[in-house]
Every structure is written in C-alpha cells, then in structure tokens.
Amino acid sequence: MQILVCLKQVPDKDSRYKIDSTGTGIHEEDLVFETNESDQYALEEGLRLKEKFGGEVVLLSLGEDRVLKSIKNGLAMGADRAMHLTGAEFHGSDAHVVASAIQRAIEGQPFDVVLTGVQSDDLAFGQTGTILAELLGWSHATIVMEIAAKPEARTVQVKRELESNLFEKVEIPLPAVLAIQSGINQPRYATLKGIMQAKKKEIKTLSLSDLRMESSDVGPAGSRVDHQKLSFPEKKKKTVLIEGEPEEAAKQLMDKLRKEARVF
C-alpha cells in the first residue's frame, strides 16, 4: 500500500500564549512546538498498515523550517520519505488552502490512503481531511478508531466513533482519506537505529511555484475563513445563596446542579 500521512506542528499544550497586536493571532516567538497528537496516532496506524501489507509510508508537512523536527522524528519512527511544503506565504492559511496545497503536492502519485489526525490541537477545525477528500474525489471517513484494509478488494473497513458511546462500521472504496482519532493505537518511539537511518531518507521540499500556486492563493488572501478576533475565555464566578428549610434547599441545590451546572 502507498500511504500518505499528514503531520502538523502545533504549540505545546503547556505553552503560555500571548495574543499579538492584531488581535487575531498569537505570538509564536517564545512557543515550543510539537507534533499534533492525533497526527502521531495517524502515523503509527500508517506504519502498521505498511508492516501488514508492505508498501511505503510518506510524510507530508506544511510550514516553516521548524516542522522538519516533526518530519525527521516521523522518519526515525519508520516512514520512508517525506515532503515539506514550505513558504512564508502559507502563514495564516485556512483548511481549504492547506488541503489544496496537499492535493497539488500528491497529484499523480499512486497513493491508496491518506491519513490525517481528526483535528489539530491548536485550531481544532477538523476540516483539512474532509476538504482534501472532496478535492481528490476520494472516499472519506472521520473519527476513525479501527482500520481493516483489504487492498486486494480495493476497500477498507473502518470503525468510527459517534456520540453517546456509539460506534459505526462502514466499508468504503480505496483510495480514501481517513481522519484518525487519538487513542486508536499506541504510537511507537523512535529507536537509535531509526534515528540514524532517518538521516539518509529523502525530504523533498516543495515551494509555491512547485505547487503551481501564487501568493494570492494562500495565506489570509487565499483563505475562505476570516479571523476577526481572538480572545481568552472569560473567567466568571457566580455565588448563589439558597435559602429555606434544609430539605427544600437540598432539592433546589440538586436541581441547579442538574440543569445549570450539569454535573449529573
């Protein structure tokens, strides 16, 4: 199987965020970045598919040179080669721009499946995989918790997580784009041997011109989502005094906990 895994680099969850002067973004200078959590599970799932059916795992990441850290770690884990979509013009791009860039990068390559994380830890839109599938004209499944591929039949059966602890099993034709849920597996660690081998693996850099895209096609100018304001959640405290006899006060308390606080 030819497998593409999309990786995104996001700020570390424990980072201290500061909103920039525009009020629509955050200062990135002092942030520590890491590979998006659900993308790591997607990579592990891709490696397991390769181990079972053979083939190749290719990584793809879009961003500044710092994303090479995530790419090299993925190569050390066992991926075969990588593509790095680079260009300062991409900064501020929405999911449609990112999906369009990926679609152009893999155009003409015989991939059987594209794996993405279910959503990013920073923006959490959960749209890139879905839009990519539409642009490619491929089958698509989201919130995937289990994969049973049948390459010889050109199908894949997936188990999807729904609401209220419900699951759905569907079989879709290949090629397909699958958005992987965190917890589907246990991602492996890169070994010393893998780290040494990663130094010899290909990382192909693709610029805007390589993707046949213009500056007006990417960044805020090419995006369909307009970020107007970014703010921190407001901290609100409210004290409610419940009066009356103990039995009646207890009933009021339980009613508020159920209907307002919703802790039961």
Side-chain angles (χ1 to χ4, degrees), residues 184-227:
I184 186 175
N185 52 45
Q186 180 60 52
R188 68 194 67 186
Y189 291 100
T191 62
L192 179 58
K193 180 181 179 181
I195 293 172
M196 298 304 294
Q197 291 177 335
K199 297 179 180 179
K200 301 178 182 179
K201 294 179 180 179
E202 177 191 9
I203 301 177
K204 185 177 182 180
T205 301
L206 298 173
S207 64
L208 275 182
S209 58
D210 295 323
L211 299 171
R212 304 180 311 284
M213 300 178 80
E214 304 290 339
S215 298
S216 58
D217 299 326
V218 300
S223 297
R224 303 186 180 191
V225 174
D226 179 22
H227 294 271

Side-chain angles (χ1 to χ4, degrees), residues 113-128:
V113 64
V114 174
L115 303 179
T116 72
V118 68
Q119 64 182 22
S120 61
D121 292 336
D122 52 358
L123 299 177
F125 287 156
Q127 297 177 340
T128 303

Side-chain angles (χ1 to χ4, degrees), residues 115-257:
L115 303 179
T116 72
V118 68
Q119 64 182 22
S120 61
D121 292 336
D122 52 358
L123 299 177
F125 287 156
Q127 297 177 340
T128 303
T130 304
I131 296 173
L132 176 60
E134 179 67 20
L135 294 174
L136 292 169
W138 290 8
S139 306
H140 180 235
T142 59
I143 325 177
V144 174
M145 291 295 297
E146 186 179 296
I147 299 175
K150 302 176 183 178
E152 69 286 348
R154 301 298 297 162
T155 63
V156 59
Q157 186 180 82
V158 299
K159 178 182 177 182
R160 301 181 59 242
E161 183 180 16
L162 305 180
E163 298 176 352
S164 303
N165 202 33
L166 295 177
F167 296 89
E168 175 188 53
K169 280 191 175 182
V170 294
E171 188 168 80
I172 59 177
L174 295 175
V177 180
L178 306 179
I180 306 300
Q181 174 69 299
S182 297
I184 186 175
N185 52 45
Q186 180 60 52
R188 68 194 67 186
Y189 291 100
T191 62
L192 179 58
K193 180 181 179 181
I195 293 172
M196 298 304 294
Q197 291 177 335
K199 297 179 180 179
K200 301 178 182 179
K201 294 179 180 179
E202 177 191 9
I203 301 177
K204 185 177 182 180
T205 301
L206 298 173
S207 64
L208 275 182
S209 58
D210 295 323
L211 299 171
R212 304 180 311 284
M213 300 178 80
E214 304 290 339
S215 298
S216 58
D217 299 326
V218 300
S223 297
R224 303 186 180 191
V225 174
D226 179 22
H227 294 271
Q228 297 185 352
K229 184 179 180 181
L230 184 68
S231 61
F232 291 107
E234 294 183 16
K235 294 182 179 180
K236 296 182 178 179
K237 293 183 178 180
K238 182 179 180 181
T239 300
V240 177
L241 181 62
I242 299 177
E243 300 178 344
E245 296 298 323
E247 184 176 344
E248 179 60 30
K251 290 181 180 180
Q252 292 183 47
L253 175 60
M254 291 301 297
D255 187 60
K256 290 182 178 296
L257 289 175

Side-chain angles (χ1 to χ4, degrees), residues 6 8-9 17 46-47 67 69 71 79-80 92-93 102 110 117 133 148 162 180 182 193 201 208 232 240 244 250:
C6 299
K8 182 179 182 181
Q9 200 176 55
Y17 299 102
L47 295 173
V67 306
K69 178 181 178 182
I71 291 175
D80 299 282
S93 296
I102 297 172
L162 305 180
I180 306 300
S182 297
K193 180 181 179 181
K201 294 179 180 179
L208 275 182
F232 291 107
V240 177

